[in-house]
């Protein structure tokens, strides 16, 4: 087990968002967390990465507690890369500069190899490496955000809504890249509203509603579940 979340409760000020969520991710797995807007998906990833502090519960990574730790320590020390919703790029820096910022905890000797691997998975970034990030299309910016996460050489890559605001043809390329990343050995935790693709790709998946897990299982089986389809997902 790589990541284990135990009965986490968290929120913003006096407004709770997560109500006792528990789940786990095994090493090498592709796990999806799906739910509607406002279900608590983004808050869950922010809590794992340390941006939001839980009010109770535990988060274990490789058997050691990380809840309450500084986000920089979680990223650099645990190699947990969080690709946030909205991408959070530096628009006035080039593609290459944004990528190298993702490698701030890795030795310079590794940078060339990490760049080659990232460009192999996301060749559009190699073509655009001298271009300012703010001039990229939405899909290209999402690729850059994923590429920056890969430059951390992550043990766990967490992706928050990578298809949001992206043209359909580029969504396909982004999902193909995410599959390839996982197939190369990186553990992936994907948060999405795009339930059809995210459930069909996942080894396992969890469905959350108003801050609670309401269903879990094999991704494709959840997609075909009448309970999930009719009672929650509305398919």
């Amino acid at each position: 087990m790589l990541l284990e979340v135990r009965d986490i409760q968290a929120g913003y000020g006096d407004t709770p968002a997560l109500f006792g969520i528990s789940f786990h991710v095994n090493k090498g797995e592709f796990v999806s967390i799906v739910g509607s807007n406002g279900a608590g998906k983004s808050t869950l990833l922010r809590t794992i990465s340390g941006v939001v502090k839980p009010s109770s519960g535990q988060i274990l990574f490789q058997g050691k507690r990380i809840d309450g730790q500084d986000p920089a320590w979680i990223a650099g020390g645990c190699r947990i890369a969080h690709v946030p919703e909205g991408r959070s790029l530096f628009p006035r820096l080039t593609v290459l500069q944004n990528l190298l910022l993702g490698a701030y905890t890795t030795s310079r000797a590794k940078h060339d190899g990490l760049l080659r691997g990232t460009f192999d998975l996301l060749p559009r970034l190699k073509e655009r490496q001298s271009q300012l990030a703010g001039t990229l299309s939405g899909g290209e910016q999402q690729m850059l955000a994923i590429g920056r996460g890969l430059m951390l050489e992550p043990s766990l890559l967490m992706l928050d809504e990578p298809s949001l605001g992206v043209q359909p043809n580029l969504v396909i390329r982004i999902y193909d890249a995410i599959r390839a990343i996982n197939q190369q050995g990186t553990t992936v935790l994907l948060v999405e509203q795009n339930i059809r693709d995210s459930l069909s790709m996942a080894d396992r998946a969890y469905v959350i509603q108003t801050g609670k897990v309401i269903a879990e299982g094999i991704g494709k089986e959840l997609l075909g579940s009448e309970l999930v389809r009719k009672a929650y997902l509305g398919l």
Side-chain angles (χ1 to χ4, degrees):
M1 191 180 295
L2 186 68
L3 174 72
E4 184 179 8
V5 175
R6 298 177 178 173
D7 198 28
I8 282 293
Q9 300 193 45
Y12 305 93
D14 295 328
T15 305
L18 305 177
F19 301 90
I21 282 187
S22 298
F23 74 97
H24 72 275
V25 181
N26 296 317
K27 185 177 180 180
E29 273 193 313
F30 190 132
V31 173
S32 288
I33 296 178
V34 298
S36 62
N37 188 35
K41 305 185 302 300
S42 294
T43 301
L44 180 57
L45 292 195
R46 292 184 189 125
T47 305
I48 295 169
S49 64
V51 176
V52 173
K53 305 301 181 186
S55 57
S56 64
Q58 298 181 348
I59 302 172
L60 289 84
F61 188 76
Q62 295 180 324
K64 297 180 181 180
R65 287 188 65 176
I66 64 170
D67 48 280
Q69 294 286 350
D70 184 77
W73 183 88
I74 292 173
C78 299
R79 301 276 179 202
I80 297 177
H82 180 186
V83 180
E85 180 182 354
R87 300 146 195 163
S88 297
L89 300 173
F90 294 90
R92 295 185 180 180
L93 298 183
T94 66
V95 166
L96 181 59
Q97 289 169 330
N98 271 274
L99 289 173
L100 291 175
L101 284 172
Y104 75 102
T105 63
T106 60
S107 67
R108 288 183 177 272
K110 288 187 173 183
H111 287 186
D112 286 346
L114 289 170
L115 280 171
R116 284 195 299 271
T118 299
F119 288 153
D120 285 345
L121 287 164
L122 299 161
R124 186 71 67 91
L125 298 182
K126 185 175 183 179
E127 300 170 7
R128 301 283 194 268
Q129 61 181 300
S130 299
Q131 190 170 329
L132 296 181
T135 65
L136 299 176
S137 70
E140 290 169 341
Q141 288 187 14
Q142 186 62 63
M143 290 178 186
L144 178 54
I146 294 171
R148 184 181 57 187
L150 290 177
M151 292 294 290
L152 185 66
E153 203 174 20
S155 298
L156 174 64
L157 180 64
M158 302 196 302
L159 303 156
D160 192 353
E161 303 282 7
S163 69
L164 190 65
V166 178
Q167 293 179 352
N169 63 317
L170 288 182
V171 169
I172 294 170
R173 293 188 185 184
I174 288 169
Y175 278 153
D176 285 344
I178 295 170
R179 288 190 190 94
I181 291 165
N182 179 243
Q183 288 168 358
Q184 290 182 4
T186 301
T187 307
V188 171
L189 178 59
L190 172 67
V191 157
E192 265 287 11
Q193 290 188 66
N194 185 338
I195 57 169
R196 289 189 182 278
D197 289 331
S198 57
L199 290 181
S200 65
M201 288 194 300
D203 298 315
R204 294 186 302 108
Y206 297 83
V207 182
I208 67 173
Q209 182 180 31
T210 58
K212 298 178 181 179
V213 174
I214 64 165
E216 61 181 277
I218 296 171
K220 291 180 181 178
E221 292 180 358
L222 280 176
L223 188 57
S225 164
E226 288 300 313
L227 173 65
V228 174
R229 288 163 62 89
K230 292 182 179 180
Y232 178 57
L233 298 177
L235 297 178

